[in-house]
């Protein structure tokens, strides 16, 4: 059975590790692909940083800094201090020495003419991830945040330097109108038996993947059922600052509102099914009414067990007879 996950970042990394564990436990000859958000990516000191990809890569390889949710475990920051001293990197953005190894390798391959997809393949081949990752697109579509006073800033500056506290009026993925889905992403969608939307930030991690021209069409015609997992429990984001992003686009921070934002596949939206936490069981009936099959299950991913069980719940909902 083939599973394809869409998302990026810490929530997606935890969920994909749970799905990998679920697959191991059920012993099937299964395959997991991930269509990864690239709109968080940015250039710093001439290096291409790819946070949503690298969070997944490091977590699946087991070399991630679990507390911070990004970067490598056992990190040192000697080079980062030098970059700040030279002024080629902002002092508020920490690039660990081991992490820089990844950015330097990635940038070297990009400068040699490799596509982002080929870079993913090379980076992923160093460890036995048990998962194949594909960029949503091989084109650069960096998210920029439109501020109340007009000048757009890169998402990373808004997110890290300003902690998403600067009032914003919208998000744009620069250059996305010229982007097309990567071949790997399209194949992972068309070949999937189940498509899962990870509990990632709906606006800046899942949104940009869906915004790549032709991506929604590919999802709409896919044979696989599409089931998403809420990243919001009892009106609060599990991690990160998705609430600031949702407020910017006028969506309430609730499991129900995010499902409505994604829309029911039966009426032209994305979702066949949606998992909410037991605390949000009140969302089940209204979402069922608009055609989204909804289950209330424990959403907290605390360890391999709870993550595997959540992944199993998502797969069960996807495979439940329609
Ligand atoms: N997040 C921070 O809050 N502070 C940092 O200094 C920081 C550095 C960093 C370096 C590499 C990388 O891949 C991610 C990094 N992040 C940092 C996380 C990242 O900025 C965001 O959390 C993600 O883009 C959100 O999905």
């Amino acid at each position: 059975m083939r599973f394809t996950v869409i998302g990026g970042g810490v929530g997606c990394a935890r969920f994909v590790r749970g799905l990998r564990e679920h697959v191991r436990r059920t012993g099937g000859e299964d395959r997991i692909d991930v269509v990864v958000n690239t709109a968080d990516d940015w250039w710093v000191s001439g290096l291409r940083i790819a946070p949503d990809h690298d969070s997944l890569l490091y977590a699946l390889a087991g070399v991630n800094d679990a507390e911070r949710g990004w970067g490598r475990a056992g990190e040192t920051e000697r080079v980062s201090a030098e970059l700040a001293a030279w002024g080629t990197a902002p002092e508020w953005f920490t690039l660990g020495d081991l992490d820089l190894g990844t950015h330097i390798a990635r940038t070297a391959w990009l400068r040699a003419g490799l596509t982002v997809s080929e870079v993913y393949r090379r980076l992923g081949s160093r460890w036995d991830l048990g998962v194949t990752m594909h960029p949503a697109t091989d084109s650069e579509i960096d998210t920029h945040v439109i501020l109340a006073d007009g000048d757009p800033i890169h998402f990373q500056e808004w997110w890290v330097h300003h902690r998403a506290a600067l009032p914003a009026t919208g998000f744009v993925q620069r250059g996305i109108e010229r982007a097309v889905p990567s071949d790997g992403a399209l194949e992972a969608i068309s070949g999937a038996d189940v498509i899962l939307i990870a509990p990632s930030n709906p606006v800046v991690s899942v949104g940009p993947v869906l915004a790549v021209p032709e991506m929604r069409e590919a999802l709409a015609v896919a044979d696989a059922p599409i089931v998403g997992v809420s990243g919001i429990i009892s009106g609060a984001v599990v991690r990160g600052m998705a609430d600031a992003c949702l407020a910017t686009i006028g969506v309430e921070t609730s499991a129900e509102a995010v499902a409505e934002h994604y829309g029911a596949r039966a009426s032209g939206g994305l979702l066949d099914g949606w998992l909410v936490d037991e605390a949000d069981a009140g969302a089940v009936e209204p979402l069922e009414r608009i055609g989204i099959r909804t289950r209330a299950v424990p959403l907290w991913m605390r360890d391999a067990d709870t993550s595997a069980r959540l992944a199993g719940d998502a797969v069960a909902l996807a495979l439940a007879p329609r």
Side-chain angles (χ1 to χ4, degrees):
M1 182 160 284
R2 281 194 66 178
F3 302 99
T4 294
V5 182
I6 291 177
V10 183
C12 185
R14 288 215 175 125
F15 183 72
V16 172
R17 278 203 314 201
L19 181 60
R20 185 177 65 179
E21 183 60 22
H22 167 75
V23 159
R24 280 181 183 150
R25 291 181 180 181
T26 49
E29 281 307 302
D30 300 302
R31 171 175 167 174
I32 301 172
D33 290 81
V34 187
V35 176
V36 183
N37 172 48
T38 59
D40 277 13
D41 299 2
W42 75 321
W43 290 100
V44 179
S45 296
L47 299 172
R48 190 68 172 157
I49 314 297
D52 273 5
H53 169 269
D54 292 356
S55 288
L56 272 156
L57 176 71
Y58 294 157
L60 291 167
V63 298
N64 62 308
D65 178 330
E67 288 77 49
R68 288 200 302 195
W70 47 270
R72 291 281 295 271
E75 195 52 284
T76 51
E77 287 149 23
R78 298 187 67 195
V79 176
S80 200
E82 283 296 287
L83 294 177
W86 289 118
T88 62
E91 78 292 336
W92 44 264
F93 197 77
T94 305
L95 288 160
D97 296 323
L98 297 176
D99 196 29
L100 277 163
T102 305
H103 307 318
I104 293 167
R106 173 174 28 243
T107 305
W109 289 329
L110 289 172
R111 283 174 56 85
L114 272 66
T115 64
V116 177
S117 295
E118 289 159 351
V119 169
Y120 273 36
R121 224 185 325 280
R122 289 198 180 186
L123 290 172
S125 67
R126 175 169 165 192
W127 294 289
D128 177 17
L129 304 180
V131 165
T132 306
M133 295 195 282
H134 313 277
T137 175
D138 283 315
S139 310
E140 289 188 17
I141 57 165
D142 294 22
T143 295
H144 284 70
V145 182
I146 311 299
L147 299 178
D149 67 7
D151 292 341
I153 59 172
H154 192 284
F155 167 74
Q156 291 298 338
E157 184 174 355
W158 185 71
W159 186 264
V160 177
H161 187 28
H162 300 293
R163 309 307 307 166
L166 282 188
T169 60
F171 303 95
V172 293
Q173 279 74 46
R174 205 167 267 174
I176 198 163
E177 60 284 343
R178 293 186 301 279
V180 294
S182 67
D183 293 343
L186 288 177
E187 196 284 326
I189 288 167
S190 62
D193 296 300
V194 171
I195 297 172
L196 300 169
I197 311 298
S200 303
N201 186 315
V203 183
V204 293
S205 282
V206 176
V209 177
L210 303 179
V212 174
E214 299 171 40
M215 190 70 79
R216 283 185 180 276
E217 291 76 5
L219 288 162
V221 302
D223 295 332
I226 301 176
V227 168
V229 179
S230 174
I232 291 161
I233 297 178
S234 302
V237 289
V238 168
R239 184 188 178 103
M241 300 173 278
D243 43 352
C245 304
L246 288 163
T248 298
I249 64 166
V251 174
E252 182 200 15
T253 297
S254 74
E256 182 174 345
V258 171
E260 288 165 351
H261 169 64
Y262 284 144
R265 196 174 186 186
S267 48
L270 177 68
L271 299 175
D272 291 306
W274 185 245
L275 288 187
V276 302
D277 189 76
E278 290 164 324
D280 295 313
V284 171
E285 204 276 325
L287 291 176
E288 289 270 341
R289 207 177 318 125
I290 63 170
I292 300 176
R293 308 193 56 183
T294 304
R295 296 280 182 282
V297 300
L299 280 198
W300 283 100
M301 295 185 279
R302 292 188 177 78
D303 50 25
D305 248 358
T306 44
S307 302
R309 191 175 312 118
L310 175 58
D313 288 341
V315 171
L317 176 53
L319 298 177
R322 294 192 207 189

